[in-house]
Amino acid sequence: MTSFTLINPATGREFREVPRASVEETDAAIARAVVAQRSWAALPPVARADALRSFARVVEQHVEELAQLEVLNSGHPIGSARWEASHVAQVLNFSAGAPERLSGQQIPVAGGLDVTFHEPYGVVGIIVPWNFPMTIASWGFAPALAAGNAVVLKPAELTPLTALRLGEIALEAGLPEGLFEIVTGSGSVVGQRFVTHPDVRSVVFTGSTEVGTDVAAGCARQLKPVTLELGGKSANIVFDDADLEKAAAAAPGAVFDNAGQDCCARSRILVQRSVYDRFLELLEPAVAAWRVGDPSHDDTDMGPLISASHRANVEGFLEGTDIAFRGAAPDGDGFWFAPAVVLAQPDDRIAKEEVFGPVVAVLPFDDEADGIRLANDTIYGLAGSIWTENLSRAVRVSRAVKSGVLSVNSHSSVRYWTPFGGMKASGLGRELGPDAAEHFTETKNVFFATD
Ligand code: TAP
């Protein structure tokens, strides 16, 4: 098949065909990127910075359009989709500061001058999943471009529309042809070609741990660096000295945001046994108040799941579980799913595997050591939250939990100016933050003899 049919997840209706690129078309895009990259890297840093600022400005002018596309294609609530589109502009603006700050070092060496340069890789291949199509894309393309690379970007087949529009916006903003190529198609064809093509010199992959492991193995055969942002089973740890009202009120958003299709979802709530019953009493009304419905409405908290098959997977996780209570969801043809709170034991499937849907497992623990042990009892290590009013405990536990992105008395994970990424099976490397552009370079050392 040479095209893919998009389905609106809120209605179940087909609405557009998107072409599937062949290997030859992917190679042609990579060849255009190779040419564009040479001129781009040769520009003065200020010219690249100006081009990225201009890209950011044109994205800002199209926030509403991009947000509406995400509502249609991905079922994201309009409020979230507007935030996502604005975030893309912010990532571009932040990255625009990098070209003039990619300073090397001067290292004392006898008999001459030793300096380092941050050289761009050349062409960077970015493989994006369907859960946050435009934000995750921007975490790769903005710093990669800032560092002097060209980008070939493959959106997920289910959700290509915002990436395609961003490719057009880049040209409208004056970025050169070929520099930022959006290649739609399947992972096994286009994504794999990024891995095997010798002119793609670095790969950024976001998606499942299973596919990410294969992508890393393929990159290893090419000795190609790879950044992996993979799955998660993050813990929301609630101690008995926490502000329980606040912790319970915040818990639904921490796991049901984006219908739980979020690698940072706090999908295990670990509650100290002495406050376990009280916490569940407080959680129930918070879950009941979580508004699931039409994503085009301003007051919707959660839209549908991405597809019928994904909903079937998520439903499968509830089989044989002890459901404490559920939220509401509309009837109709969309891929709706009522949020579910499940009481679990550490060895239950629901406590171990990533659901990627609005299902949370609640587990009790006894004391601080037990809470840390349970939080780390997972192959993953992406995000997590710690609720306590005890500062020393907050410091101890945040150092002991093996996760890349933690928050205390909050659930925030993503800021474009702070680093993001996972430990263990959640990934390799970091995105965003002060060093984002440098991650898209390799260091060259040059010694100039003077004697
Ligand atoms: P995947 O099936 O892993 O797909 C992710 C991307 O990889 C898609 O663009 C996909 O293309 C492509 N792909 C599939 N097979 C490939 C291959 N053999 N070679 C190269 N690329 C390939 O995951 P998903 O279903 O989109 O997303 C859900 C999973 O991703 C969850 O486990 C979630 O935790 C994880 N995820 C993690 C993060 C972060 S930030 N850590 C963010 C989002 C999602 P097509 O689907 O178009 O074929």
Side-chain angles (χ1 to χ4, degrees), residues 79-96:
S80 310
R82 288 191 186 113
W83 181 90
E84 290 159 27
S86 302
H87 178 82
V88 173
Q90 288 168 333
V91 175
L92 279 163
N93 269 323
F94 181 69
S95 301

Side-chain angles (χ1 to χ4, degrees), residues 4 126-132 136 139 154-159 185-195 205-212 214-215 228-232 261-264 310 354 356 380 382 420-422 426-427 431:
F4 184 84
I126 301 177
I127 303 170
V128 181
W130 47 259
N131 62 333
F132 284 107
I136 289 175
W139 301 353
K154 191 204 96 63
E157 282 212 279
L158 291 172
T159 58
S186 76
S188 55
V189 176
V190 179
Q192 267 307 303
R193 193 60 186 140
F194 291 0
V195 172
F205 172 88
T206 305
S208 59
T209 298
E210 193 186 358
V211 176
D214 279 349
V215 165
L228 300 173
E229 298 289 358
L230 309 173
Q261 303 165 130
D262 182 343
C263 48
C264 294
H310 186 56
E354 180 175 53
F356 225 53
Y380 297 111
L382 184 54
F420 178 86
S426 290
E431 299 188 284

Side-chain angles (χ1 to χ4, degrees), residues 11-245:
T11 63
R13 278 192 221 112
E14 298 179 355
F15 69 93
R16 194 172 303 179
E17 296 285 317
V18 174
R20 279 190 161 126
S22 62
V23 170
E24 293 71 27
E25 287 162 328
T26 307
D27 285 358
I30 295 167
R32 290 192 292 275
V34 167
V35 173
Q37 191 269 335
R38 289 191 198 115
S39 320
W40 176 247
L43 288 176
V46 67
R48 272 186 276 131
D50 280 346
L52 291 175
R53 281 190 202 101
S54 160
F55 189 1
R57 270 196 300 278
V58 185
V59 170
E60 276 160 14
Q61 289 156 11
H62 291 84
V63 162
E64 190 58 29
E65 183 197 347
L66 288 163
Q68 294 292 352
L69 278 178
E70 211 63 277
V71 172
L72 174 71
N73 194 176
S74 309
H76 290 195
I78 183 66
S80 310
R82 288 191 186 113
W83 181 90
E84 290 159 27
S86 302
H87 178 82
V88 173
Q90 288 168 333
V91 175
L92 279 163
N93 269 323
F94 181 69
S95 301
E100 292 157 304
R101 291 183 174 85
L102 276 173
S103 312
Q105 290 180 304
Q106 180 270 313
I107 300 170
V109 176
L113 172 70
D114 192 282
V115 288
T116 64
F117 298 90
H118 293 298
E119 302 287 6
Y121 280 111
V123 178
V124 174
I126 301 177
I127 303 170
V128 181
W130 47 259
N131 62 333
F132 284 107
M134 58 181 148
T135 53
I136 289 175
S138 72
W139 301 353
F141 72 70
L145 292 172
N149 301 281
V151 167
V152 286
L153 186 142
K154 191 204 96 63
E157 282 212 279
L158 291 172
T159 58
L161 292 188
T162 46
L164 285 168
R165 190 68 190 105
L166 285 167
E168 293 166 0
I169 287 173
L171 293 175
E172 288 169 32
L175 261 69
E177 295 268 351
L179 186 70
F180 179 37
E181 291 273 337
I182 312 298
V183 191
T184 56
S186 76
S188 55
V189 176
V190 179
Q192 267 307 303
R193 193 60 186 140
F194 291 0
V195 172
T196 58
H197 196 297
D199 285 337
V200 176
R201 291 309 317 145
S202 170
V203 171
V204 178
F205 172 88
T206 305
S208 59
T209 298
E210 193 186 358
V211 176
T213 305
D214 279 349
V215 165
C219 287
R221 278 191 287 277
Q222 303 273 330
L223 291 178
K224 197 179 279 194
V226 61
T227 303
L228 300 173
E229 298 289 358
L230 309 173
K233 192 74 190 175
S234 297
N236 178 4
I237 316 171
V238 182
F239 286 98
D240 61 2
D241 55 21
D243 181 335
L244 287 186
E245 279 76 15

Side-chain angles (χ1 to χ4, degrees), residues 236 238 244-257 266-267 269 279 283 286-287 290 360 387 411:
N236 178 4
V238 182
L244 287 186
E245 279 76 15
K246 227 171 145 183
V255 58
F256 302 150
D257 190 50
R266 274 65 166 172
S267 54
I269 307 181
F279 181 82
L283 182 61
V287 171
W290 185 252
V360 67
W387 290 82
H411 293 299

